[in-house]
Amino acid sequence: MSIAPTAGTTDRTASPAVPEGRLAAARLRPTRATVLGGLLGGAATSAGIALTATSGWLVVRASERPVLLTLLAAIVAVRAFGMARPAFRYAERLVTHDAALADLAERRTAVWSALVPLTPARLGRRSRSEVLTGVVDDLTDVVEAEVRVTVPLVSSALAGLGATVLAAAFSPAVGAVVAGLLVAVAAGCALAWWFESRSRDELLAARADVARVSDLVARQAAELQAIGAEATALGWLDDAHDVLARAVRRQSLGRALVANLLLLATAAATVAAASLVDVAALGGPVAALLVLVPVAVGEALAPLTDTMRALARAQGSADRLAAVLGQEPAVTDPAGVDPTGVDRPGTAPSDTDSAEPVAVDRADVRLAAATASWTGERTDVGPLDLDLPVGTHLAVVGPNGSGKSTLLAVLARHLDVTGGAHRVDGADVRSLPLEEIRRLVAVVDDEPHVFASTLRENLRLARPAAADDDLRRALVLAGLGPWAAGLPDGLDTALGTGGRGLSGGERTRLGVARAVLSDRPVVLLDEPTAHLDHATAVSVTDDVLEALRERTVVLVGHRPEGLDRLDAVLDLGTADPVPTAKE
Amino acid sequence: MRPLDPRLLRAAPAARRPVAALAVVGVLQGLATVATAFALAALVVAAVRGEPLREASLSLAALLALRAGLAWTAERTAARAGARVTAALRTALLRHWLTVPAERRPDPDRGGVLAAQGVAAVEPYAARFLPALVSAAVVPAAALVALLVVDPVSALVVVLTLPLLPAFAALIGMATRDDTARRWASLSALSGHFADVVRGLPTLVGYGRAERQAEVVGEVSRRHRTATMRTLRTAFMSSAALELLASISVAIVAVTVGLRLTHGTVDLGTGLLAILLAPEAYWPVRRVGAAFHDAADGAEAVADVLAAIDGDPAVADGAATGRSGVERSGAGRSGVDVRLEDVTYTYPGAASPVLAGLDLAAGPGLTVLTGPSGCGKTTVLELVAGLRTPDTGSVRAGRTHLVTQRPFLPAGTLREVLRLGSDADDPALWDALRAVGLDGFVAALPAALDTRVGDDGVGLSAGQRARVVLARAMLSDAPVLLLDEPTAHLDPAASALVHDVLARLAERRTVLVVTHRPELVARADRHLTLAARPVEALR
């Protein structure tokens, strides 16, 4: 798999998906193929019920010691139902899984296209990779619902209806009993769904908290030992586990209740069928068949409790997915500007019909009384004046909430200013295509992603045309020279999932190597050393500043390591040293 | 994979009771299921013969009600067992990691993932797979025994056909194993692709590569579909074959029963019982197979966690699990001696030792440790604190409290942060805050000690953070305080305040500080310098 651009051209002019299209990928809707799968599943379930019923008929009829020939039809039927069940089940599984995978492929492309314009400003301010992992998991849940919800619901309804009709054909009274059983099962399902939905969010929050605490304790084991807080940490873990155990037990109440009700309803229906069946009129064999039907139906429909759990889960996933994908992009290309203009760097901008044909030659950045906001509701940074001629090394410090990340987002044009001006080489950026500014800026954040690919591909995404020598030079400048030299397969070494793991420091340096390789004149470093230990942080910062000596560097951090090596320090938090409430 | 690793119950004793409860409920359910077949057969016979249904109805209703109650208990027990077993295993793992020195822990990324997501996979294993395993063991056995008593001929048919299932499954497995393994490998790469590129989306957008990737996403997803369906076709085919085999076996029982009924060699009740019991002998085997795949992740996680705990050589050798190599003595608040003798330490994976043959001694009072960057000063503190174990030599110290360069400041209230490592009451907290000059600042906060500070103490200035962790150190009753560059990033005024506090603390305890600050060195009772080799006392 290549993460570098594929050969051949792609349509860059495709307009961003409209909100309707974006939300379609998040919607729970059965496809025609899964309904067909449900019908096949219904045939399989019906065959199972019929197998039990005809076996009962066969045995009772045989006990009447008839001529063997009269049993042959029943013997054939028993065998046919016995073989039809696995055959239909096999067909059902093939059809539904293929349909779900086709739908998954389609939705993945749609979700990808919807996510691109939302990245990164609409993916949260921190832990974007968690938000994105959530999107992937939620999409899987939504698509899995077709197999786990649509199919069992359709097939249960079909089989239940079939059993009712069969029973009613012999005895309307027993038919009514079976219908009553179905109503009871349906009510039980509704109850199970209600319990599952009610406890879903609580359970998710409890699980997330257990994961957070255990991750924290595992990572901070040494620091906890240092201050003798081991018992306190295990206490946090116990508390989180207790909350989770309570949530799990509350959720299990629904399933327990339904499993209980289902068996009670089966008992009542069986006893009712036995007392209502008229042996004299129907004969022994048919009477046996009718008494066995409720048991067979009860057993066939028992898995519906799992279905309700899957449904509640998929609904939660669909809601979360819609909440992410339904957002408006934070920045868009200005109307009338040809976004393809950026693909021809160096050509005279007068070729295009853009409203304000300005070429950006020098990445001198200037903010004048600039303010910016993530949501539009409150001002997150500014008003701020900032002059960054090419080659400036600026540190930005300040407590959380003082606007450090917001400032970087503006400089990277992930956000546009809400007031004041943002000019690059004298031109107002809002009149320029997004890519015109973004191609000047490389961002290294605190969680650089390592793709499951070779080291070469992991670097080349920053500059596809780069030769191996360029890659090696970038690695050396980022302080990864000795590390790269020790790799078994050099640039062909597989990294990421399934490949070689990287330490936190190595990951940050890989991000820096990409920025170096990209040749972009402005490099923004967003707390690159936040997760590193002190010694590594100092050495990474030193190497980064050296590697980027001739470019503009804006380094954000609330750790003071190495900030004294920069030209200037902008403190956004001088006014307010008071601890802020945790967001 | 082993269905139930006995080491799980040894490593996490708290898991024993829920697992035992699962087993008991499972056995009762199995027996009740077999009993229901008897009651159902009796009811059908009564209905067919036109006999009074009262007795048969009542016993069937009673048994189904019993099963309903057991089903309730089973669901509750399974949920509780899932939560309890997972919690017990996670606690055992983290307790182990909090007990051993740094060399015996995995790197933080791997450790965090194993403790959080890895262990979570154990929950479905305990809540779903173990109950299925119990019923797979109990129900066929009980059904077979009942059949043997009621109708030995049918029992013989079942005994002869039942082993065909696992044998057939093994045959299919063998025939498709290589193929399946190859496909799974390429499949996991394909299925991981989307998650991988989505997580890297900010990077791809940053370098203008995201829109081109849309086509790759579509292409890989289509290949994933094709490859998955190839694999699934084999899997579905083999499970259909097994189900067919079970169906045919049940049909053989039904037909032989039918033939014997027509000859009058068996009565109706027995025949009905045989056809109701026979399927119970086969279906659980199939069900556990389905649950087996869901549980494979969980079993793997159990193995990983047990390897992390049991695989630790020191535990396996039966050696002390504590932070060994360090003698702990002296409680209370009077200072005690710290002594390192001939200590050599090598970082895991490093070629040469960072410390070799080091002797060092510090007694009550203020001792400062200086030396060039990278000479191992931090390592000395970590050895004294027992966070690391020396390769050779001995470390002797009392209980310690180490203020590292990046002190642990979790999200929480100021009170919670200050009370990490002690159970001080509010007056003691205020005393400590007064000593570090933060009492006025905290008192002025609207929520005072209940003010929340974020991860890493965000919202506090660097000087305030330094003083908060110093106040926390004062609250600890460890006789030995170790501090690693406590004033490296503070302005002169804040530094002077911290230095005053350290000097005052040294009146009652052993304080060992790594520092570059000449003002602090000047106030020390003892000054040690760490070169590449042994340390000498200058004063």
Side-chain angles (χ1 to χ4, degrees):
Chain A
M1 250 150 305
S2 167
I3 47 151
T6 48
T9 55
T10 47
D11 183 11
R12 296 277 314 247
T13 56
S15 58
V18 292
E20 261 316 292
R22 271 192 254 138
L23 286 178
R27 200 158 291 145
L28 276 177
R29 59 179 154 77
T31 62
R32 196 169 301 169
T34 44
V35 174
L36 170 65
L39 297 180
L40 288 168
T45 309
S46 303
I49 296 172
L51 180 63
T52 307
T54 47
S55 299
W57 185 91
L58 172 67
V59 168
V60 175
R61 183 75 188 99
S63 73
E64 294 170 357
R65 306 183 69 172
V67 187
L68 197 54
L69 267 178
T70 60
L71 290 180
L72 270 183
I75 289 174
V76 169
V78 166
R79 282 190 186 155
F81 288 133
M83 284 155 78
R85 176 162 59 174
F88 278 123
R89 187 63 67 204
Y90 173 70
E92 173 258 303
R93 291 168 105 187
L94 274 193
V95 167
T96 52
H97 282 79
D98 189 51
L101 285 165
D103 191 39
L104 184 63
E106 210 170 283
R107 289 192 195 223
R108 279 183 168 177
T109 316
V111 164
W112 180 269
S113 303
L115 279 176
V116 169
L118 300 175
T119 306
R122 291 294 179 244
L123 302 179
R125 311 267 285 276
R126 286 271 160 246
S127 309
R128 282 172 185 146
S129 100
E130 254 170 59
V131 174
L132 290 166
T133 305
V135 167
V136 173
D137 293 345
D138 287 341
L139 182 63
T140 308
D141 278 349
V142 167
V143 173
E144 266 187 7
E146 290 170 28
V147 174
R148 292 176 177 232
V149 179
T150 311
V151 171
L153 279 184
V154 171
S155 57
S156 299
L158 194 71
L161 217 62
T164 310
V165 170
L166 174 84
F170 290 114
S171 156
V174 178
V177 167
V178 177
L181 176 60
L182 290 184
V183 171
V185 170
C189 283
L191 200 63
W193 173 83
W194 184 77
F195 268 103
E196 295 282 349
S197 307
R198 197 190 58 150
S199 52
R200 183 187 65 205
D201 295 340
E202 180 196 9
L203 194 63
L204 274 178
R207 285 195 202 288
D209 201 47
V210 166
R212 185 186 61 76
V213 172
S214 37
D215 186 73
L216 181 78
V217 175
R219 281 173 195 277
Q220 302 285 349
E223 293 293 344
L224 289 163
Q225 291 176 342
I227 57 173
E230 296 97 326
T232 315
L234 289 172
W236 296 334
L237 192 66
D238 284 346
D239 291 347
H241 274 142
D242 285 346
V243 172
L244 176 58
R246 273 199 298 279
V248 165
R249 290 193 57 198
R250 202 161 308 153
Q251 186 201 29
S252 76
L253 206 60
R255 286 175 66 92
L257 204 61
V258 171
N260 184 288
L261 282 182
L262 194 66
L263 278 163
L264 289 180
T266 306
T270 306
V271 172
S275 54
L276 287 172
V277 75
D278 183 355
V279 184
L282 294 167
V286 171
L289 183 151
L290 290 176
V291 175
L292 285 173
V293 163
V295 176
V297 170
E299 272 177 14
L301 302 190
L304 279 177
T305 47
D306 286 334
T307 305
M308 291 301 117
R309 178 166 287 190
L311 175 62
R313 183 181 161 137
Q315 284 172 328
S317 297
D319 289 348
R320 281 194 301 277
L321 207 51
V324 172
L325 300 184
Q327 301 176 96
E328 286 304 316
V331 280
T332 48
D333 279 314
V337 168
D338 176 9
T340 59
V342 294
D343 265 359
R344 286 164 268 133
T347 53
S350 52
D351 300 354
T352 69
D353 300 330
S354 58
E356 196 184 339
V358 189
V360 172
D361 293 325
R362 278 181 61 82
D364 293 321
V365 179
R366 181 185 284 265
L367 295 180
T371 55
S373 164
W374 291 93
T375 56
E377 283 159 15
R378 65 183 191 109
T379 300
D380 292 302
V381 74
L384 197 65
D385 294 305
L386 195 60
D387 196 5
L388 291 170
V390 171
T392 314
H393 281 193
L394 174 75
V396 180
V397 298
N400 241 23
S402 60
K404 303 188 301 279
S405 304
T406 319
L407 173 61
L408 279 200
V410 168
L411 294 177
R413 226 182 150 202
H414 296 153
L415 281 182
D416 273 337
V417 289
T418 47
H422 174 199
R423 294 181 177 279
V424 175
D425 194 21
D428 186 331
V429 299
R430 277 170 295 182
S431 64
L432 298 170
L434 278 180
E435 280 300 321
E436 184 83 27
I437 300 303
R438 289 189 176 177
R439 75 187 168 86
L440 299 174
V441 181
V443 181
V444 181
D445 61 23
D446 62 335
E447 44 183 21
H449 185 68
V450 181
F451 291 92
S453 188
T454 60
L455 173 59
R456 179 183 289 106
E457 299 298 337
N458 261 295
L459 289 169
R460 264 175 17 119
L461 65 93
R463 183 149 67 92
D468 283 2
D469 282 344
D470 300 329
L471 306 183
R472 290 198 189 92
R473 200 172 312 123
L475 286 169
V476 170
L477 284 172
L480 283 176
W483 172 80
L487 291 177
D489 301 318
L491 290 170
D492 291 315
T493 305
L495 305 179
T497 316
R500 193 187 172 85
L502 269 71
S503 73
E506 287 160 357
R507 260 171 25 148
T508 303
R509 289 175 190 274
L510 184 72
V512 172
R514 284 175 184 151
V516 169
L517 184 69
S518 73
D519 269 340
R520 297 182 173 196
V522 179
V523 178
L524 309 178
L525 301 152
D526 192 0
E527 307 222 17
T529 61
H531 302 320
L532 308 183
D533 65 61
H534 177 79
T536 314
V538 169
S539 118
V540 168
T541 310
D542 282 352
D543 287 345
V544 168
L545 295 178
E546 183 57 28
L548 302 171
R549 208 163 10 150
E550 281 153 28
R551 309 196 205 171
T552 304
V553 174
V554 180
L555 170 65
V556 156
H558 66 256
R559 296 277 182 188
E561 287 123 1
L563 294 191
D564 44 354
R565 294 173 189 75
L566 287 97
D567 301 335
V569 177
L570 170 66
D571 189 345
L572 292 174
T574 39
D576 182 19
V578 173
T580 50
K582 195 172 168 254
E583 282 165 342
Chain B
M1 120 179 188
R2 268 194 270 182
L4 175 62
D5 198 325
R7 290 180 306 162
L8 168 66
L9 303 181
R10 253 205 325 273
R16 280 178 203 163
R17 196 198 283 254
V19 168
L22 278 182
V24 169
V25 176
V27 169
L28 291 177
Q29 272 188 304
L31 296 179
T33 303
V34 170
T36 312
F38 280 86
L40 188 58
L43 181 66
V44 172
V45 170
V48 166
R49 295 195 178 140
E51 292 164 3
L53 298 178
R54 203 180 137 76
E55 201 179 320
S57 294
L58 278 180
S59 57
L60 179 69
L63 274 169
L64 282 174
L66 173 68
R67 276 180 64 190
L70 285 171
W72 166 283
T73 317
E75 288 287 349
R76 302 285 280 166
T77 311
R80 190 179 307 149
R84 286 250 178 98
V85 171
T86 313
L89 197 62
R90 189 180 277 125
T91 305
L93 179 68
L94 287 173
R95 179 179 312 238
H96 176 71
W97 282 344
L98 284 172
T99 320
V100 300
E103 307 88 43
R104 281 160 52 190
R105 277 192 298 268
D107 77 70
D109 277 336
R110 274 205 7 247
V113 169
L114 181 59
Q117 286 85 34
V119 179
V122 175
E123 193 175 330
Y125 165 83
R128 321 286 284 162
F129 175 69
L130 288 184
L133 197 65
V134 171
S135 71
V138 172
V139 176
L144 201 56
V145 168
L147 258 188
L148 211 55
V149 173
V150 172
D151 184 16
V153 179
S154 297
L156 186 67
V157 174
V158 173
V159 167
L160 288 178
T161 51
L162 195 55
L164 286 178
L165 263 79
F168 198 60
L171 266 180
I172 295 175
M174 254 162 16
T176 57
R177 188 174 48 202
D178 293 347
D179 200 30
T180 310
R182 204 179 58 241
R183 281 178 188 166
W184 274 117
S186 72
L187 201 58
S188 64
L190 286 174
S191 66
H193 175 267
F194 184 64
D196 185 46
V197 293
V198 168
R199 274 202 296 274
L201 188 55
T203 305
L204 294 171
V205 167
Y207 288 108
R209 311 249 75 92
E211 288 173 29
R212 293 159 195 244
Q213 194 69 23
E215 212 171 71
V216 179
V217 165
E219 174 56 30
V220 172
S221 297
R222 280 186 291 275
R223 290 214 321 260
H224 175 236
R225 174 188 174 190
T226 318
T228 308
M229 283 315 295
R230 264 204 308 270
T231 311
L232 286 182
R233 205 162 284 136
T234 315
F236 292 161
M237 182 59 94
S238 49
S239 77
L242 285 181
E243 189 173 342
L244 194 63
L245 199 61
S247 280
I248 290 172
S249 305
V250 173
I252 292 175
V253 173
V255 171
T256 52
V257 164
L259 291 177
R260 281 152 60 219
L261 278 168
T262 54
H263 289 110
T265 49
V266 68
D267 69 11
L268 174 61
T270 310
L272 264 174
L273 251 181
I275 66 156
L276 287 173
L277 283 174
E280 302 293 352
Y282 298 99
W283 299 137
V285 177
R286 214 170 47 93
R287 229 176 283 144
V288 82
F292 182 88
H293 292 293
D294 299 337
D297 288 346
E300 204 173 302
V302 170
D304 286 350
V305 173
L306 292 175
I309 301 175
D310 276 4
D312 193 322
V315 177
D317 292 350
T321 48
R323 289 182 246 150
S324 51
V326 184
E327 278 180 52
R328 300 281 154 204
S329 62
R333 289 193 169 240
S334 61
V336 298
D337 287 337
V338 169
R339 189 173 295 276
L340 271 65
E341 278 169 9
D342 196 23
V343 164
T344 299
Y345 184 79
T346 314
Y347 275 94
S352 56
V354 58
L355 299 171
L358 175 74
D359 294 306
L360 179 149
L366 179 61
T367 306
V368 294
L369 179 61
T370 60
S373 183
C375 71
K377 302 187 294 292
T378 297
T379 316
V380 169
L381 293 187
E382 289 175 347
L383 284 164
V384 173
L387 305 187
R388 298 184 183 277
T389 316
D391 306 346
T392 59
S394 75
V395 175
R396 206 149 52 83
R399 280 189 309 102
T400 60
H401 181 104
L402 166 61
V403 178
T404 61
Q405 289 192 16
R406 289 200 162 179
F408 181 58
L409 287 174
T413 64
L414 269 173
R415 183 184 287 105
E416 286 163 353
V417 167
L418 285 167
R419 290 187 49 177
L420 279 171
S422 73
D423 45 12
D425 54 11
D426 276 12
L429 297 186
W430 284 111
D431 284 347
L433 286 172
R434 198 169 304 119
V436 298
L438 276 180
D439 52 332
F441 166 74
V442 175
L445 293 171
L449 285 169
D450 291 314
T451 305
R452 288 192 67 83
V453 291
D455 280 318
D456 278 340
V458 166
L460 298 172
S461 72
Q464 287 164 339
R465 279 204 302 272
R467 285 187 274 165
V468 166
V469 298
L470 205 57
R472 185 166 72 189
M474 297 178 74
L475 290 165
S476 148
D477 63 356
V480 179
L481 290 186
L482 310 164
L483 300 102
D484 197 354
E485 307 235 19
T487 53
H489 307 299
L490 301 188
D491 58 44
S495 297
L497 202 147
V498 170
H499 294 160
D500 286 345
V501 174
L502 289 178
R504 237 175 302 139
L505 276 170
E507 291 165 12
R508 303 172 64 179
R509 306 198 208 187
T510 302
V511 179
L512 176 58
V513 187
V514 166
T515 188
H516 284 125
R517 296 276 183 172
E519 326 72 286
L520 185 59
V521 174
R523 298 174 72 162
D525 301 316
R526 219 170 290 101
H527 177 191
L528 310 172
T529 53
L530 191 61
R533 283 288 167 124
V535 172
E536 44 194 329
L538 294 187
R539 209 198 291 180

